[in-house]
Amino acid sequence: MATMTWKRHHVLSLADFMPEEYDTILQTAASFREVLSRRLKKVPTLQGQLVANLFFEPSTRTRSSFELAAKRLSADTLNFTPGTSSLTKGETILDTAKTYLAMGTDMMVIRHQQAGVPEAIAAEMDRIGARVGVLNAGDGQHEHPSQALLDLFTITCILDPEKPRIELLKGKKIAIVGDILHSRVARSNIWSLTASAAEVHLAAPPTLLPQFFAEMGSNRAGKLFLHWLVEPALEDADFVMTLRLQKERMENHLLPSWREYHQRYGITRERLKLCKPNVKVLHPGPVNRGVEIASDLMDDPEFSLISQQVTSGVAVRMALLYLMGSSKA
Ligand code: NCD
């Protein structure tokens, strides 16, 4: 497996990630998974460093996961919550970031409802010569790199728990089903999965899967297919990723009803019969039970990898913080 000296100071998008970078993250996450299985689940790697979680948008698992990852690496953490911050008094986002910088922040983990905010903060940090690493924890409909990396870790660990690596995806069929249009998780996953020689099949109603997604498949090692029916995407699939219908981002009536969506696109036991017999189902959470996925299926450990995704998230985020903290950029 090809690994490398880590050179990225910021992780903002997976669009230009190289296979060796994925393998470095997967291998590093595997070693942190081992740390997390010990009785003493902590290493001194980032002792004395400060990680600030700047979440301008609601989050349960991503924020807790980054906080725990930083703590397991012995870093100090600060959590920012917009409702109780000086943003309500008119402070700009860049000034908020600079306030955290002045307190000695080494890494900023940023989530914002607008695409491009983490990138803008990273550009400002570079401009003023601050050695701060910026990690995109989800920006608008743009990207969510750490979620796609934890999905990749979860999938490759199913294929080889000891040596998760990107080449394991060669020839595998992965279906991504749901609200692709509004999903930063789908976009980051399309980049990571097509960086391998996997076949990625997107499926959604036409209102949630515009034709322009096909462009993301050009010049990639893997192949990308679009379907406006779910069945062809599920046929012989090895993995199915379901995505939440993002009600908060839907301006118009993009769907007749949740019930009709479930009838036509919902992941159910019956539909999974189209897939390979040992198919596994992922969902980044939060889940609309009974809409994008049947409620009982979500809790069935024979099919569902949802809890593993959450567990993997901590090891993968430890890997990201560790690699960025020791970057040779
Ligand atoms: C996703 C997100 O915030 O983009 N959730 C997550 O980070 N676990 C997906 C979603 O909100 O549906």
mmCIF file of all heavy atoms in Angstrom, residues 165-184:
data_model
loop_
_atom_site.group_PDB
_atom_site.id
_atom_site.type_symbol
_atom_site.label_atom_id
_atom_site.label_comp_id
_atom_site.label_asym_id
_atom_site.label_seq_id
_atom_site.Cartn_x
_atom_site.Cartn_y
_atom_site.Cartn_z
ATOM 1 N N ARG A 165 -7.607 -0.224 2.391
ATOM 2 C CA ARG A 165 -6.882 0.528 1.358
ATOM 3 C C ARG A 165 -7.786 0.706 0.155
ATOM 4 O O ARG A 165 -8.710 -0.079 -0.057
ATOM 5 C CB ARG A 165 -5.582 -0.186 0.980
ATOM 6 C CG ARG A 165 -5.802 -1.599 0.488
ATOM 7 C CD ARG A 165 -4.524 -2.431 0.541
ATOM 8 N NE ARG A 165 -4.719 -3.734 -0.086
ATOM 9 C CZ ARG A 165 -5.294 -4.787 0.506
ATOM 10 N NH1 ARG A 165 -5.743 -4.697 1.755
ATOM 11 N NH2 ARG A 165 -5.440 -5.925 -0.152
ATOM 12 N N ILE A 166 -7.465 1.703 -0.641
ATOM 13 C CA ILE A 166 -8.376 2.121 -1.695
ATOM 14 C C ILE A 166 -8.499 1.084 -2.821
ATOM 15 O O ILE A 166 -9.552 0.944 -3.428
ATOM 16 C CB ILE A 166 -7.973 3.528 -2.195
ATOM 17 C CG1 ILE A 166 -9.137 4.173 -2.914
ATOM 18 C CG2 ILE A 166 -6.722 3.528 -3.003
ATOM 19 C CD1 ILE A 166 -9.079 5.661 -2.938
ATOM 20 N N GLU A 167 -7.454 0.314 -3.069
ATOM 21 C CA GLU A 167 -7.514 -0.653 -4.195
ATOM 22 C C GLU A 167 -8.569 -1.748 -3.958
ATOM 23 O O GLU A 167 -8.982 -2.420 -4.894
ATOM 24 C CB GLU A 167 -6.138 -1.267 -4.471
ATOM 25 C CG GLU A 167 -5.734 -2.241 -3.412
ATOM 26 C CD GLU A 167 -4.448 -3.010 -3.687
ATOM 27 O OE1 GLU A 167 -3.517 -2.496 -4.315
ATOM 28 O OE2 GLU A 167 -4.389 -4.160 -3.196
ATOM 29 N N LEU A 168 -9.009 -1.919 -2.699
ATOM 30 C CA LEU A 168 -10.037 -2.922 -2.402
ATOM 31 C C LEU A 168 -11.351 -2.603 -3.110
ATOM 32 O O LEU A 168 -12.214 -3.461 -3.258
ATOM 33 C CB LEU A 168 -10.295 -2.987 -0.895
ATOM 34 C CG LEU A 168 -9.139 -3.466 -0.020
ATOM 35 C CD1 LEU A 168 -9.444 -3.176 1.448
ATOM 36 C CD2 LEU A 168 -8.910 -4.969 -0.217
ATOM 37 N N LEU A 169 -11.523 -1.338 -3.509
ATOM 38 C CA LEU A 169 -12.782 -0.932 -4.135
ATOM 39 C C LEU A 169 -12.842 -1.257 -5.620
ATOM 40 O O LEU A 169 -13.890 -1.087 -6.253
ATOM 41 C CB LEU A 169 -13.006 0.571 -3.940
ATOM 42 C CG LEU A 169 -13.284 1.004 -2.512
ATOM 43 C CD1 LEU A 169 -13.490 2.507 -2.450
ATOM 44 C CD2 LEU A 169 -14.527 0.310 -1.984
ATOM 45 N N LYS A 170 -11.737 -1.736 -6.165
ATOM 46 C CA LYS A 170 -11.688 -2.040 -7.601
ATOM 47 C C LYS A 170 -12.822 -2.996 -7.973
ATOM 48 O O LYS A 170 -12.953 -4.068 -7.385
ATOM 49 C CB LYS A 170 -10.328 -2.671 -7.916
ATOM 50 C CG LYS A 170 -10.032 -2.736 -9.368
ATOM 51 C CD LYS A 170 -8.608 -3.169 -9.616
ATOM 52 C CE LYS A 170 -8.445 -3.340 -11.110
ATOM 53 N NZ LYS A 170 -7.210 -3.979 -11.465
ATOM 54 N N GLY A 171 -13.641 -2.580 -8.922
ATOM 55 C CA GLY A 171 -14.723 -3.436 -9.418
ATOM 56 C C GLY A 171 -15.945 -3.504 -8.507
ATOM 57 O O GLY A 171 -16.921 -4.172 -8.830
ATOM 58 N N LYS A 172 -15.917 -2.831 -7.366
ATOM 59 C CA LYS A 172 -17.084 -2.865 -6.463
ATOM 60 C C LYS A 172 -18.148 -1.889 -6.977
ATOM 61 O O LYS A 172 -17.820 -0.829 -7.525
ATOM 62 C CB LYS A 172 -16.695 -2.461 -5.026
ATOM 63 C CG LYS A 172 -15.704 -3.399 -4.387
ATOM 64 C CD LYS A 172 -16.327 -4.738 -4.074
ATOM 65 C CE LYS A 172 -15.288 -5.696 -3.531
ATOM 66 N NZ LYS A 172 -15.609 -7.098 -3.762
ATOM 67 N N LYS A 173 -19.404 -2.266 -6.761
ATOM 68 C CA LYS A 173 -20.507 -1.387 -7.165
ATOM 69 C C LYS A 173 -21.091 -0.711 -5.924
ATOM 70 O O LYS A 173 -21.518 -1.382 -4.988
ATOM 71 C CB LYS A 173 -21.581 -2.184 -7.905
ATOM 72 C CG LYS A 173 -22.774 -1.328 -8.292
ATOM 73 C CD LYS A 173 -23.715 -2.019 -9.253
ATOM 74 C CE LYS A 173 -24.946 -1.145 -9.489
ATOM 75 N NZ LYS A 173 -25.885 -1.729 -10.445
ATOM 76 N N ILE A 174 -21.101 0.609 -5.953
ATOM 77 C CA ILE A 174 -21.609 1.372 -4.805
ATOM 78 C C ILE A 174 -22.748 2.274 -5.283
ATOM 79 O O ILE A 174 -22.563 3.078 -6.206
ATOM 80 C CB ILE A 174 -20.480 2.202 -4.166
ATOM 81 C CG1 ILE A 174 -19.395 1.238 -3.673
ATOM 82 C CG2 ILE A 174 -21.005 3.045 -3.001
ATOM 83 C CD1 ILE A 174 -18.055 1.803 -3.553
ATOM 84 N N ALA A 175 -23.926 2.102 -4.674
ATOM 85 C CA ALA A 175 -25.073 2.939 -5.032
ATOM 86 C C ALA A 175 -25.195 4.065 -4.006
ATOM 87 O O ALA A 175 -25.050 3.836 -2.807
ATOM 88 C CB ALA A 175 -26.344 2.100 -5.037
ATOM 89 N N ILE A 176 -25.431 5.280 -4.492
ATOM 90 C CA ILE A 176 -25.718 6.422 -3.598
ATOM 91 C C ILE A 176 -27.137 6.873 -3.931
ATOM 92 O O ILE A 176 -27.417 7.280 -5.065
ATOM 93 C CB ILE A 176 -24.708 7.573 -3.786
ATOM 94 C CG1 ILE A 176 -23.267 7.073 -3.602
ATOM 95 C CG2 ILE A 176 -25.014 8.718 -2.830
ATOM 96 C CD1 ILE A 176 -22.189 8.153 -3.731
ATOM 97 N N VAL A 177 -28.029 6.767 -2.937
ATOM 98 C CA VAL A 177 -29.464 6.977 -3.189
ATOM 99 C C VAL A 177 -30.010 8.048 -2.249
ATOM 100 O O VAL A 177 -29.811 7.958 -1.036
ATOM 101 C CB VAL A 177 -30.249 5.658 -2.954
ATOM 102 C CG1 VAL A 177 -31.720 5.843 -3.314
ATOM 103 C CG2 VAL A 177 -29.655 4.504 -3.754
ATOM 104 N N GLY A 178 -30.699 9.031 -2.791
ATOM 105 C CA GLY A 178 -31.347 10.019 -1.919
ATOM 106 C C GLY A 178 -31.222 11.430 -2.463
ATOM 107 O O GLY A 178 -31.144 11.623 -3.682
ATOM 108 N N ASP A 179 -31.190 12.382 -1.545
ATOM 109 C CA ASP A 179 -31.174 13.793 -1.934
ATOM 110 C C ASP A 179 -29.756 14.215 -2.337
ATOM 111 O O ASP A 179 -29.045 14.879 -1.575
ATOM 112 C CB ASP A 179 -31.679 14.619 -0.741
ATOM 113 C CG ASP A 179 -31.817 16.088 -1.087
ATOM 114 O OD1 ASP A 179 -31.432 16.472 -2.208
ATOM 115 O OD2 ASP A 179 -32.302 16.838 -0.223
ATOM 116 N N ILE A 180 -29.377 13.808 -3.535
ATOM 117 C CA ILE A 180 -28.006 14.061 -3.992
ATOM 118 C C ILE A 180 -27.782 15.553 -4.253
ATOM 119 O O ILE A 180 -26.745 16.110 -3.912
ATOM 120 C CB ILE A 180 -27.718 13.181 -5.224
ATOM 121 C CG1 ILE A 180 -27.677 11.715 -4.751
ATOM 122 C CG2 ILE A 180 -26.410 13.579 -5.917
ATOM 123 C CD1 ILE A 180 -27.755 10.703 -5.837
ATOM 124 N N LEU A 181 -28.787 16.205 -4.799
ATOM 125 C CA LEU A 181 -28.660 17.626 -5.139
ATOM 126 C C LEU A 181 -28.166 18.471 -3.966
ATOM 127 O O LEU A 181 -27.266 19.285 -4.103
ATOM 128 C CB LEU A 181 -30.027 18.167 -5.611
ATOM 129 C CG LEU A 181 -30.092 19.682 -5.854
ATOM 130 C CD1 LEU A 181 -29.162 20.099 -6.980
ATOM 131 C CD2 LEU A 181 -31.519 20.124 -6.150
ATOM 132 N N HIS A 182 -28.763 18.261 -2.785
ATOM 133 C CA HIS A 182 -28.423 19.116 -1.640
ATOM 134 C C HIS A 182 -27.294 18.557 -0.784
ATOM 135 O O HIS A 182 -26.977 19.126 0.258
ATOM 136 C CB HIS A 182 -29.664 19.318 -0.757
ATOM 137 C CG HIS A 182 -30.792 19.981 -1.474
ATOM 138 N ND1 HIS A 182 -31.892 19.294 -1.933
ATOM 139 C CD2 HIS A 182 -30.959 21.271 -1.858
ATOM 140 C CE1 HIS A 182 -32.713 20.154 -2.549
ATOM 141 N NE2 HIS A 182 -32.161 21.346 -2.528
ATOM 142 N N SER A 183 -26.722 17.425 -1.207
ATOM 143 C CA SER A 183 -25.819 16.707 -0.305
ATOM 144 C C SER A 183 -24.332 16.970 -0.532
ATOM 145 O O SER A 183 -23.766 16.600 -1.557
ATOM 146 C CB SER A 183 -26.076 15.197 -0.431
ATOM 147 O OG SER A 183 -25.178 14.510 0.395
ATOM 148 N N ARG A 184 -23.708 17.558 0.484
ATOM 149 C CA ARG A 184 -22.240 17.703 0.453
ATOM 150 C C ARG A 184 -21.586 16.343 0.692
ATOM 151 O O ARG A 184 -20.476 16.091 0.238
ATOM 152 C CB ARG A 184 -21.799 18.703 1.516
ATOM 153 C CG ARG A 184 -22.383 18.418 2.893
ATOM 154 C CD ARG A 184 -22.274 19.634 3.778
ATOM 155 N NE ARG A 184 -22.887 19.427 5.085
ATOM 156 C CZ ARG A 184 -23.404 20.402 5.809
ATOM 157 N NH1 ARG A 184 -23.391 21.639 5.358
ATOM 158 N NH2 ARG A 184 -23.910 20.167 6.991
#
